[in-house]
Amino acid sequence: MTDRSDPVAARTSKHRTPRRPNFPGQIVLVLQGGGALGAYQAGVYEAMHEFGAEPDWVIGTSIGAVNAALIAGNARPQRLPRLVDFWARMEASDIQPDLLQFFTGVTNASANLATIFRGLPAFFEPYGPAWCGSFVPLGVEAAAYYSTAPLRSTLSALLDLEHPDARQVRLTVGAVNVRNGAMRYFDSRDERVTLDHVLASGALPPVFPAVRVDGVPYWDGGIYSNTPIEAVLDDNPRKDSVIFAVQMWNPEGPEPDTLWKVLGRQKDIRYASRADSHIARQKQIHHLRHVIRELSRRIPQPERRSADVKELASWGCGTTMHIVRLVAPTVDGEDQMKDIDFTPAGIRERWRAGYEDTKRFLDAAPWRTPVDPVEGVIIHDDPRRRSREAVRGVDGFAGKTR
């Protein structure tokens, strides 16, 4: 991770004129929601920045939307320093000695409890009226235990979505319409994305209040789909892509044997949002598109000119999507409150893990390996994850899906 004592000089000195490596298509960075776990995403971006692999498109929900905005909403030389600045402001004070940890065995118990009651000065603060009673009518924009006014102030100082570079990097953030429960992706390709959109994407109820966009209240996109990769795979027109899909909630894990561990395992499964099944389904769909393309090529030329055949052939596709699946590892001592573990040690460890995992992929560059031309979606997993799946007898999407 970047040296916190000198957040700018430690990494940025060798990134002033990065050279973009040769990637087979656009570079897309997809970021889940997960509170403090978002430090892992910052480490992912640092490795990409160091390698010269700046994203063409950044998509996020919740804290992923915040990190995405910090990347897209700054000039290239300022992106990493602004991420460092943001996460430095997110740090909660360590409480030493942690007497609650001594009595409960729960890591960072005192620090996490302090965050719950006091908030984080640069992120959120308790909203008094909501703590007075759950049945007090406050309005959808105030019906929450905390106010995110501090986060609005923090981000206002750290990003500029009107910056010329912001118009070069496509930014998409997901939020849920409170009234009809529909997921909506606000996309800078099609509309102006503002700070309100970013804050709406992170408005997790009942912790944070809804944010209105054009008069409509929106909540955190993570309550509908915490892994917004479908926004890339369903994009139109589709493009060849290398997609860095960053997952901070691991759907795989050991059987929990205590109530505390059950709560943590439940949270992992819920917020993983069936990312693997979404990708598997998209892999099947893209495989069929490639099959249609190959079959249409075998139709005699005179018949190929007919309107009916042209319509059927239009369902075909020749794009290739390489999905680099980055799954945040378990940090020693983490528990079901890991998403509010804003301690300096927790942030530092997750940032480091994101950096090292991504650097390993960038050095290996698996997207350069020849692939079956009929396969439209190629999955690249960390070898450590594949070895765990092999032990459990999980396919890992290595073969064709029929």
Side-chain angles (χ1 to χ4, degrees):
M1 178 184 171
T2 301
D3 182 358
R4 307 306 283 256
S5 62
D6 189 359
V8 177
R11 291 279 182 193
T12 56
S13 60
K14 57 182 177 182
H15 301 150
R16 288 171 186 164
T17 55
R19 295 181 59 189
R20 182 185 175 94
N22 185 23
F23 280 81
Q26 65 178 345
I27 301 174
V28 185
L29 181 58
V30 180
L31 306 174
Q32 272 190 347
L37 306 182
Y40 180 85
Q41 300 171 348
V44 170
Y45 174 74
E46 181 185 5
M48 294 175 67
H49 180 79
E50 180 179 298
F51 198 76
E54 294 291 336
D56 301 294
W57 185 7
V58 193
I59 307 171
T61 55
S62 198
I63 194 65
V66 171
N67 281 331
L70 287 165
I71 293 167
N74 281 291
R76 181 180 296 181
Q78 293 301 315
R79 292 171 187 167
L80 181 57
R82 291 294 169 82
L83 276 170
V84 172
D85 193 345
F86 174 81
W87 283 97
R89 297 184 191 207
M90 293 300 104
E91 290 183 355
S93 300
D94 275 326
I95 297 178
Q96 299 293 340
D98 190 338
L99 297 180
L100 281 181
Q101 180 176 342
F102 177 79
F103 287 109
T104 65
V106 177
T107 306
N108 300 321
S110 296
N112 291 341
L113 193 63
T115 297
I116 290 172
F117 285 106
R118 297 199 305 247
L120 293 171
F123 192 167
F124 57 91
E125 59 189 5
Y127 181 61
W131 290 78
C132 295
S134 301
F135 301 101
V136 178
L138 302 170
V140 70
E141 293 171 272
Y145 291 112
Y146 301 92
S147 165
T148 52
L151 179 61
R152 180 181 291 274
S153 177
T154 297
L155 292 179
S156 294
L158 294 178
L159 62 86
D160 177 10
L161 293 172
E162 296 299 319
H163 190 278
D165 275 22
R167 293 191 288 272
Q168 300 299 318
V169 179
R170 185 177 172 186
L171 172 64
T172 304
V173 297
V176 172
N177 186 314
V178 175
R179 296 173 184 169
N180 62 23
M183 183 74 168
R184 178 172 175 184
Y185 288 107
F186 297 98
D187 191 335
S188 67
R189 184 188 64 179
D190 305 320
E191 60 190 311
R192 179 171 170 260
V193 175
T194 68
L195 182 53
D196 282 341
H197 297 104
V198 177
L199 293 171
S201 183
L204 180 66
V207 181
F208 301 139
V211 176
R212 288 190 188 274
V213 176
D214 296 328
V216 178
Y218 285 90
W219 276 332
D220 192 312
I223 66 175
Y224 184 96
S225 177
N226 200 38
T227 308
I229 195 168
E230 66 265 19
V232 187
L233 298 175
D234 288 333
D235 193 34
N236 188 21
R238 288 177 292 277
K239 296 180 180 179
D240 290 341
S241 305
V242 177
I243 305 164
F244 291 85
V246 186
Q247 299 173 217
M248 296 177 298
W249 302 93
N250 197 334
E252 302 172 10
E255 296 180 4
D257 57 5
T258 68
L259 182 58
W260 191 251
K261 291 179 182 178
V262 165
L263 292 170
R265 190 77 198 100
Q266 181 260 6
K267 189 180 283 189
D268 268 331
I269 294 170
R270 178 175 46 168
Y271 287 120
S273 291
R274 302 175 302 282
D276 287 355
S277 63
H278 287 331
I279 292 173
R281 177 59 59 190
Q282 288 287 349
K283 184 175 174 68
Q284 291 175 332
I285 292 170
H286 279 256
H287 177 78
L288 290 174
R289 287 179 177 139
H290 279 234
V291 169
I292 291 170
R293 182 196 59 167
E294 292 300 315
L295 288 174
S296 66
R297 288 176 173 175
R298 299 174 187 233
I299 297 174
Q301 190 65 34
E303 295 181 33
R304 215 184 297 174
R305 297 193 190 101
S306 72
D308 289 345
V309 172
K310 285 182 178 180
E311 169 64 21
L312 292 172
S314 69
W315 290 89
C317 177
T319 58
T320 300
M321 309 285 188
H322 291 270
I323 299 179
V324 178
R325 193 157 45 182
L326 290 153
V327 182
T330 300
V331 173
D332 289 342
E334 76 177 17
D335 52 50
Q336 72 105 0
M337 298 180 74
K338 61 186 177 181
D339 50 334
I340 61 168
D341 174 20
F342 288 93
T343 60
I347 290 175
R348 183 168 55 249
E349 180 62 19
R350 291 186 174 92
W351 187 308
R352 183 194 60 78
Y355 173 83
E356 292 181 354
D357 289 352
T358 308
K359 188 175 186 302
R360 187 163 50 250
F361 266 115
L362 290 168
D363 290 340
W367 45 85
R368 295 179 186 169
T369 303
V371 299
D372 186 337
V374 181
E375 291 299 316
V377 174
I378 314 299
I379 311 298
H380 304 290
D381 273 328
D382 190 307
R384 295 176 303 178
R385 185 184 187 193
R386 288 203 302 269
S387 65
R388 291 195 298 269
E389 289 174 339
V391 170
R392 296 189 180 100
V394 178
D395 181 356
F397 312 113
K400 294 181 180 178
T401 52
R402 292 190 194 231

